[in-house]
């Protein structure tokens, strides 16, 4: 039997495999669809891309298999590694079945020597996002330790640059672009959560990445814990990109009859640059049945308004005022449960503090609902304080080695520890306390925080990171199933857990604990590489940011909030009459613009001057567009550039208005274009796209909002 080729092709993306007489299928192509291929085309394709002519010697892998291994002649990082009692096991896979439909390929293979079996499934889903699912099953008689199981795909050797991400608390999602490194290279996260410095994704491009053009091959692991992102740039073989869960020694032992399932891995190709990459992922997310379908409420979160100073009368007044200015959701943040006067105590005791709230939270929740607002509450379910009733009663529920905990206080992080949710008793304690409150208060929204890394995590005498994350996912699902309509936000001391794994079981993420709008311009932009704006919380903070000390105009903070699921996180009771009126105008503007912002195509028109940040949201029918234009520092030239508006219908005329409800952006009066001073202009879409509009010479840290509507 000679080799044959199988292909899946959908949404302009194709994956082509060659199925040999022995061994695993090999990947001939992933990327742009070549269009219809005949059987004859597929039969000769291997010759068209092969490295050498048989019977050439096995000095390198000719084409990389779907799970590359040393036995294939692959000299890079293996796709899987398992350990027996005697050492590392070397796979020699034999494909048992290969089944293909229009958009899915499933490969079942076995390793005769060990009794291990693997299931590899690749599916091109909505918008061309290719998902790979991997599972390893032990059909043998001996246990195996899974050290890693990673999904990989080859990319053209033509790629020159790799982009991943880095960052820190209050400055997440900093892109890091370098030449593609030589050899087999990994970037890993070992924090028990992706972390503020998470790689987040791995993107390969020809030249440095651009938002508006060029090919991108990228991968993202839909997993909310430790991860490995990998590239393999070998001089004598294909270039690979991939990702997988990072497992600690002894963490995944596969006993006979058991199956280990790796987290799903997304592979995304685009010929339209980073914006094209994002649009594929956003479209995929929006097609999910659980994707939020109701308008995203304008939110007031109480954290930077009152911090731990919970005064029931003042918080009631805050909710009442919020309702008068158009806010739609009221979220009571940290400080409501027993003994919680600061961040050193009481986590794990999810009982209302009757000293602060003598009548409980019911009166506040009822008043919030009477006002027509949703009611939200803060929890940190995966954490525990040593100074808590639950820790005193059940010290064995902590996810730490007791021998170390007794004499090593450095395991504390922000004064808190981790509760072992894989312990069924600890899990039930948290679930039942939370569920009781959700039902009693009619909670509509939970802000679910996770304020520390996992360190020295031990469950049942072995590393407990994976078990903890699986239990966390299960708890999120169980609460949502038990309380239909409940929405949950993933916050992890800001943006330390904002992946496609957590968004499968939550309804939005908190991108950063920084409400500084200058920092937020880039945080929102790069969080948006994967997540559309309706899934990313973006709040108007105080005039002076608590995380940076920077003072900014209210108009700038509001314009930046429009980049996501908008809200406020400041004491609006202290606003003067003009500012209060501005909140009302902003609330109305948000309601008017959010259908386009939260449902349209997101793009980033590129300007040469690095002072500018431009984000455009265009309706799918091109009838409307919203553009947020901001500066993050002083512009370089006295005369600014022209802004060309993307995605409009070239044959239609558009009225472009400066939406000044939030206040006017300040610019140099002698370099303010006539159209900007007038506040609107009407031009054909072709002119707006090709010629553009002259930008004003904005002062540093200013912003304005454009709204284009078809005539």
């Amino acid at each position: 039997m000679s080799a044959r080729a199988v292909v899946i092709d959908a949404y302009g993306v194709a994956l082509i495999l060659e199925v040999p007489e022995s061994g695993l299928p090999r990947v001939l192509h992933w990327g742009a669809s070549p269009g219809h291929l005949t059987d004859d085309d597929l039969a000769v394709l291997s010759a068209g891309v092969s490295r050498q002519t048989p019977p050439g010697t096995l000095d390198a892998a000719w084409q990389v298999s779907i799970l590359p291994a040393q036995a294939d002649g692959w000299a890079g990082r293996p796709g899987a590694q398992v350990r027996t009692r005697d050492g590392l096991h070397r796979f020699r896979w034999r494909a048992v079945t290969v089944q293909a439909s229009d958009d899915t390929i499933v490969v079942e293979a076995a390793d005769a020597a060990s009794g291990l079996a693997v299931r590899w499934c690749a599916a091109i889903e909505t918008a061309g996002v290719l998902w790979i699912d991997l599972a390893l099953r032990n059909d043998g008689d001996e246990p195996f330790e899974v050290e890693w199981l990673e999904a990989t795909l080859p990319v053209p050797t033509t790629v020159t640059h790799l982009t991943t991400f880095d960052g820190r608390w209050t400055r997440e999602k900093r892109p890091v672009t370098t030449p593609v490194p030589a050899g087999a290279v990994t970037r890993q996260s070992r924090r028990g959560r992706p972390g503020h410095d998470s790689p987040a994704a791995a993107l390969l491009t020809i030249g440095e990445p651009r938002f508006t053009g060029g090919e991108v091959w990228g991968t993202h692991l839909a997993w909310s814990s430790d991860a490995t992102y990998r590239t393999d740039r070998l001089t004598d073989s294909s270039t690979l990109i991939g990702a997988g869960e990072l497992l600690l020694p002894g963490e995944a032992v596969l006993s006979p009859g058991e199956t280990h399932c790796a987290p799903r891995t997304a592979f995304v190709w685009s010929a339209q640059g980073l914006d094209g990459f994002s649009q594929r992922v956003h479209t995929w997310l929006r097609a999910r049945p659980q994707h939020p379908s109701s308008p995203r409420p304008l939110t007031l979160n109480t954290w930077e308004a009152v911090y731990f100073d919970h005064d029931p009368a003042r918080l009631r007044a805050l909710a009442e005022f919020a309702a008068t200015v158009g806010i739609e959701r009221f979220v009571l943040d940290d400080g409501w449960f027993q003994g919680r006067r600061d961040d050193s105590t009481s986590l794990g005791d999810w009982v209302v503090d009757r000293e602060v709230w003598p009548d409980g939270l019911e009166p506040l929740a009822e008043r919030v609902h009477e006002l027509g607002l949703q009611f939200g509450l803060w929890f940190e379910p995966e954490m525990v304080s040593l100074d808590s009733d639950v820790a005193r009663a059940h010290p064995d529920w902590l996810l730490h080695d007791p021998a170390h905990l007794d004499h090593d206080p450095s395991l504390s992080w922000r004064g808190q520890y981790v509760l072992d949710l894989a312990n069924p008793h600890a899990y039930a304690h948290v679930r039942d306390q939370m569920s009781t409150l959700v039902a009693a208060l009619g909670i509509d929204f939970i802000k679910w925080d996770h304020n520390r890394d996992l360190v020295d995590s031990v469950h049942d005498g072995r590393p407990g990171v994976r078990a903890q994350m699986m239990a966390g996912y299960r708890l999120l699902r169980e609460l949502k199933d038990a309380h239909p309509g409940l929405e949950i936000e993933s916050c992890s001391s800001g943006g330390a857990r904002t992946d496609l794994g957590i968004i499968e079981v939550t309804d939005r993420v908190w991108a950063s604990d920084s409400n500084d709008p200058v920092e937020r311009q880039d945080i929102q932009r790069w969080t948006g590489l994967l997540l559309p704006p309706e899934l990313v919380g973006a709040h108007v903070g105080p005039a002076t940011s608590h995380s940076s000390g920077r003072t900014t105009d209210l108009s700038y903070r509001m314009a930046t909030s429009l980049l996501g699921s908008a809200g406020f996180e400041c004491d609006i009771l202290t606003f003067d009459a003009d500012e209060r009126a501005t909140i009302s105008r902003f609330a109305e503007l948000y309601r008017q613009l959010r259908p386009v912002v939260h449902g349209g195509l997101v793009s980033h028109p590129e300007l040469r001057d690095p002072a500018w940040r431009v984000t455009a949201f265009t309706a799918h029918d091109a009838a409307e567009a919203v553009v947020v234009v901001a500066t993050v520092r002083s512009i370089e030239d006295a005369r600014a550039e022209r802004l060309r508006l993307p995605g409009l219908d070239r044959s239609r005329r558009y009225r472009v208005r400066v939406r000044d409800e939030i206040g006017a952006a300040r610019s140099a009066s002698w370099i303010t274009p006539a159209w900007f001073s007038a506040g609107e202009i009407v031009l054909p879409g072709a002119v707006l796209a090709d010629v553009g509009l002259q930008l004003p010479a904005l002062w540093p840290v200013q912003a304005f909002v454009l709204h284009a509507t078809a005539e």
Side-chain angles (χ1 to χ4, degrees):
M1 177 182 175
S2 60
R4 62 186 177 93
V6 294
V7 58
I8 53 176
D9 192 323
Y11 303 99
V13 176
L15 175 69
I16 304 175
L17 302 185
E18 179 184 56
V19 183
E21 295 183 36
S22 62
L24 291 174
R26 301 185 284 260
V27 183
L28 300 183
H29 171 73
W30 160 55
S33 167
H36 176 68
L37 296 175
T38 67
D39 290 341
D40 289 341
D41 294 332
L42 291 172
V44 300
L45 180 60
S46 179
V49 298
S50 67
R51 177 178 181 277
Q52 66 190 83
T53 301
T57 58
L58 184 64
D59 57 359
W62 299 350
Q63 300 294 343
V64 181
S65 81
I66 58 174
L67 199 63
Q70 187 177 13
D72 305 327
W74 171 247
R77 179 180 172 91
Q81 185 159 297
V82 302
R83 183 176 292 275
T84 69
R85 290 191 179 97
D86 300 324
L88 293 179
H89 176 73
R90 290 174 174 81
F91 293 107
R92 290 194 177 274
W93 295 110
R94 176 181 61 84
V96 178
T97 62
V98 179
Q99 298 177 320
S101 62
D102 291 341
D103 56 14
T104 304
I105 300 174
V106 179
V107 178
E108 302 271 1
D111 177 65
S114 63
L116 287 170
V118 68
R119 186 180 190 272
W120 181 95
C121 176
I124 301 176
E125 299 185 5
T126 300
V129 178
L130 191 156
W131 286 95
I132 291 182
D133 291 279
L134 274 168
L136 199 60
R137 186 178 71 250
N138 187 356
D139 291 337
D141 300 324
E142 300 293 332
F144 288 87
E145 179 187 344
V146 181
E147 295 198 331
W148 68 74
L149 182 61
E150 297 167 353
T152 63
L153 284 177
V155 300
T157 307
T158 320
V159 296
T160 61
H161 284 73
L162 168 68
T163 299
T164 57
F165 293 85
D166 197 0
R168 59 167 172 81
W169 179 69
T170 70
R171 200 177 184 189
E172 295 89 337
K173 303 296 187 296
R174 180 177 68 90
V176 179
T177 298
T178 65
V180 179
V185 177
T186 64
R187 270 205 62 195
Q188 297 180 321
S189 171
R190 296 173 178 266
R191 298 182 179 275
R193 56 180 177 171
H196 297 94
D197 58 349
S198 166
L203 311 170
L204 290 173
T205 54
I206 302 170
E208 293 198 5
R210 297 173 49 213
F211 280 104
T212 57
E215 286 190 280
V216 181
W217 292 263
T219 189
H220 170 78
L221 185 71
W223 178 241
S224 310
S225 190
D226 294 350
T228 295
Y229 284 85
R230 54 177 287 173
T231 56
D232 294 82
R233 172 77 121 189
L234 307 184
T235 59
D236 56 1
S237 190
S238 303
T239 297
L240 286 192
I241 189 172
E245 177 187 5
L246 189 156
L247 295 166
L248 297 176
E251 190 165 21
V253 175
L254 197 58
S255 298
E258 291 185 338
T259 298
H260 173 83
C261 296
R264 301 191 84 198
T265 308
F267 291 85
V268 182
W269 167 84
S270 169
Q272 284 79 47
L274 298 176
D275 285 340
F277 180 100
S278 294
Q279 287 166 13
R280 287 194 188 275
V281 182
H282 293 182
T283 303
W284 179 86
L285 282 164
R286 288 168 172 167
R288 300 171 305 148
Q290 76 268 35
H291 192 78
S293 57
S294 59
R296 299 295 79 207
L298 185 63
T299 296
L300 174 65
N301 181 283
T302 65
W303 178 241
E304 291 190 37
V306 302
Y307 295 99
F308 289 107
D309 185 14
H310 282 208
D311 175 357
R314 181 167 180 79
L315 285 162
R316 179 187 174 104
L318 190 59
E320 290 172 340
F321 176 63
T324 68
V325 292
I327 287 168
E328 300 161 311
R329 175 189 281 160
F330 180 88
V331 181
L332 183 65
D333 211 288
D334 193 1
W336 57 266
F337 47 102
Q338 63 182 19
R340 186 69 165 178
R341 304 280 63 79
D342 57 41
D343 63 5
S344 66
T345 181
S346 303
L347 290 173
D349 294 339
W350 304 112
V351 178
V352 177
D353 191 328
R354 292 287 174 162
E355 291 188 9
V356 177
W357 297 91
D359 299 319
L361 290 178
E362 283 83 358
L364 177 65
E366 289 170 4
R367 182 57 179 151
V368 168
H369 286 135
E370 286 174 0
L371 294 166
L373 278 63
Q374 295 181 13
F375 179 70
L377 195 62
W378 181 95
F379 290 90
E380 195 169 1
E382 295 151 278
M383 301 297 158
V384 65
S385 303
L386 292 187
D387 183 9
S388 66
D389 289 347
V390 66
R392 283 185 285 270
H394 303 284
D396 55 314
W397 286 5
L398 272 66
L399 188 67
H400 304 280
D401 186 338
H404 293 171
L405 187 62
D406 289 344
H407 55 78
D408 188 358
S410 67
L411 289 176
S412 171
W413 181 305
R414 197 176 174 262
Q416 64 192 62
Y417 294 79
V418 185
L419 192 68
D420 183 3
L421 290 184
N423 179 313
H425 303 293
Y427 179 96
H429 165 81
V430 174
R431 179 200 60 205
D432 294 347
Q433 286 197 324
M434 293 182 70
S435 190
T436 297
L437 281 168
V438 172
L441 301 175
I443 293 172
D444 304 288
F445 176 87
I446 289 174
K447 179 181 177 181
W448 185 297
D449 219 333
H450 184 287
N451 275 313
R452 63 159 290 167
D453 291 354
L454 273 57
V455 178
D456 193 35
S457 301
V458 178
H459 170 76
D460 284 348
R462 57 200 286 185
V465 176
R466 185 175 210 268
Q468 178 75 359
M469 192 65 252
M470 297 298 286
Y473 283 152
R474 187 168 69 253
L475 180 58
L476 284 156
R477 290 191 182 97
E478 191 169 348
L479 286 169
K480 288 176 70 68
D481 289 345
H483 304 281
L486 175 67
E487 293 194 358
I488 299 177
E489 174 186 68
S490 169
C491 174
S492 189
S493 45
R497 196 161 73 174
T498 59
D499 55 277
L500 294 184
I502 203 68
I503 209 63
E504 276 294 287
V505 290
T506 60
D507 302 278
R508 82 171 198 172
V509 303
W510 183 233
S512 178
D513 280 347
S514 173
N515 280 323
D516 178 339
V518 176
E519 300 291 347
R520 273 285 184 149
Q521 283 287 329
D522 285 341
I523 291 168
Q524 295 286 141
R525 168 174 289 207
W526 292 108
T527 302
L529 181 74
L530 291 170
L531 300 180
E534 66 269 24
L535 299 183
V536 183
H539 292 174
V540 177
T544 300
S545 167
H546 86 124
S547 61
S548 69
R550 183 185 281 118
T551 301
T552 52
D553 292 342
L554 180 59
S555 62
Y556 190 84
R557 286 175 275 147
M558 287 180 169
T560 302
S561 182
L562 281 174
L563 297 174
S565 183
F568 288 82
E569 194 167 330
C570 52
D571 188 357
I572 57 177
L573 288 174
T574 64
F575 281 26
D576 62 29
D578 288 343
E579 291 171 327
R580 292 183 177 202
T582 303
I583 297 176
S584 295
R585 292 194 299 270
F586 173 75
E588 180 56 36
L589 180 67
Y590 175 65
R591 283 189 286 273
Q592 182 179 347
L593 300 184
R594 70 184 165 192
V596 177
V597 174
H598 294 171
L601 298 174
V602 183
S603 59
H604 301 86
E606 291 182 329
L607 298 172
R608 177 191 58 80
D609 187 341
W612 294 100
R613 297 293 184 273
V614 183
T615 307
F617 311 90
T618 308
H620 288 273
D621 62 1
E624 190 176 2
V626 176
V627 185
V628 178
V629 182
T631 56
V632 295
R633 64 189 192 194
S634 60
I635 62 174
E636 291 184 352
D637 299 328
R639 175 177 175 173
E641 300 167 54
R642 289 179 181 174
L643 171 64
R644 295 189 288 180
L645 304 185
L648 302 180
D649 186 333
R650 299 177 63 84
S651 64
R652 301 168 78 175
R653 299 179 68 81
Y654 290 85
R655 183 176 302 275
V656 182
R657 298 169 55 199
V658 179
R659 302 302 301 259
D660 59 0
E661 290 92 337
I662 60 177
R666 291 176 291 173
S667 63
S669 59
W670 60 93
I671 311 178
T672 302
W675 75 270
F676 191 79
S677 296
E680 68 174 49
I681 193 170
V682 178
L683 284 170
V687 173
L688 293 168
D690 295 341
V691 180
L693 295 172
Q694 175 65 48
L695 287 170
L698 285 187
W699 287 9
V701 191
Q702 295 292 305
F704 61 89
V705 179
L706 295 180
H707 187 199
T709 52
E711 293 280 86

